[in-house]
Amino acid sequence: MSDRLTVRKTYKLYLGGAFPRSESGRTYEVHDTKGHFLANAAWASRKDGRDAVVAARGAFGTWSGATAYNRGQVLYRVAEVMEGRAAQFTEEVAAGEGLSPAKARAAVDAAIDRWVWYAGWTDKLAAVLGSTNPVAGPYFGFSVPEPTGVVAVLAPQRSSLLGLVSVLAPVLAAGNTAVVVSSKERPLPAITLGEVLATSDVPGGVVNLLTGDAAEIGPWLAEHADVDAIDLAGAPAPLAMELERSAAGTIKRVLRAPAEEPDWSADPGLSRLRPFLETKSVWHPIGV
């Protein structure tokens, strides 16, 4: 039997395509459902949140300006890389959520398939959600869906991977950039997803992953004037209404927190694509 000591991991944040430590220097221990130590994770601060918003805003022009087909290719590449690390994701989901290996693998497979689902929607949104409108005059009238901008996402607390992908992928598919606060107690799949994103052709800053406490970081993101929308999927119940009030101060779009965490394996439809799209109306002369 080997007497080698395993490497004790202290994971970092994923900001702007890089992996910095929290500026606060804080970390916390992550344990499995039986209380065994798994790793140390960075405890993000409000300054890290502000840095993440800056990175997301800087990447928005590139990501939203890419063709829908290209965005779909990039999201499909995420699924490909996740498939290659499925065993690691399965181990992390099983440890964090207390699932059997078979159920954990099923959750990982569903998360990979969810990326493929949204990758396929990127170049179909304009046809499905846009329209050509009748106009009483010599004009064409078009309604075109466009991304909202920077979206803050408080990820589900229980479903550490499938729930996370289910709230992040539609934000990206619509052409937005994201600042994500992971599950506090189960952050390892989110950390590994950051490593996948860093090697999957996703431009730096398009996704920024913060580990720590949503109750600490959430209020700052809700109030931040350069955040255009916020998804409260993983907001602590006592805090959700206060976050909505804070978001109203800067007229953010808000996807409200569910009464209880939903079944993330259900067909997602378009329910998480529509909230982060805006409709632009364009008039154009028909000509002779």
Side-chain angles (χ1 to χ4, degrees):
M1 183 175 63
S2 172
D3 58 356
R4 178 182 177 274
L5 297 175
T6 57
V7 176
R8 291 277 178 141
K9 302 180 182 69
T10 299
Y11 289 109
K12 302 179 179 69
L13 308 174
Y14 179 56
L15 299 180
F19 293 92
R21 294 179 174 83
S22 170
E23 62 81 31
S24 68
R26 298 178 300 172
T27 61
Y28 68 100
E29 292 187 355
V30 179
H31 300 89
D32 65 15
T33 53
K34 297 180 181 179
H36 300 139
F37 175 83
L38 295 174
N40 295 299
W43 191 310
S45 67
R46 63 185 186 184
K47 174 62 164 58
D48 297 315
R50 291 197 298 269
D51 290 343
V53 173
V54 171
R57 178 59 65 190
F60 176 68
T62 299
W63 185 244
S64 62
T67 65
Y69 178 73
N70 178 246
R71 286 200 300 271
Q73 288 179 310
V74 172
L75 297 188
Y76 189 84
R77 176 60 180 160
V78 175
E80 289 180 329
V81 179
M82 281 188 68
E83 191 79 56
R85 298 183 66 168
Q88 180 182 356
F89 278 113
T90 298
E91 182 179 336
E92 292 171 347
V93 169
E97 300 182 23
L99 301 178
S100 67
K103 289 184 178 180
R105 181 56 195 249
V108 172
D109 289 344
I112 295 170
D113 293 347
R114 190 60 46 87
W115 280 112
V116 176
W117 162 272
Y118 282 112
W121 268 107
T122 56
D123 59 353
K124 300 170 183 65
L125 291 173
V128 174
L129 301 180
S131 63
T132 301
N133 311 312
V135 179
Y139 302 96
F140 291 114
F142 303 108
S143 293
V144 182
E146 292 194 337
T148 294
V150 175
V151 180
V153 178
L154 305 187
Q157 294 299 303
R158 291 190 299 179
S159 183
S160 57
L161 182 64
L162 178 56
L164 169 63
V165 171
S166 296
V167 296
L168 173 59
V171 170
L172 304 185
N176 302 287
T177 54
V179 176
V180 183
V181 183
S182 75
S183 168
K184 179 184 178 183
E185 302 299 330
R186 305 167 179 179
L188 297 191
I191 293 168
T192 303
L193 180 61
E195 296 174 355
V196 166
L197 295 170
T199 56
S200 299
D201 300 329
V202 179
V206 170
V207 181
N208 304 275
L209 287 165
L210 305 174
T211 51
D213 191 351
E216 176 182 343
I217 308 169
W220 297 100
L221 294 175
E223 294 175 357
H224 200 299
D226 208 23
V227 173
D228 301 297
I230 187 167
D231 183 345
L232 301 178
L239 188 62
M241 185 57 68
E242 184 58 37
L243 292 177
E244 287 191 42
R245 294 192 188 97
S246 298
T250 49
I251 322 179
K252 286 180 178 58
R253 290 182 170 228
V254 177
L255 190 55
R256 306 181 78 173
E260 59 182 27
E261 193 161 319
D263 176 10
W264 296 109
S265 64
D267 185 339
L270 299 180
S271 61
R272 289 193 166 270
L273 282 166
R274 294 178 186 271
F276 306 122
L277 287 168
E278 300 180 0
T279 301
K280 179 175 72 175
S281 296
V282 180
W283 289 50
H284 193 282
I286 293 177
V288 179

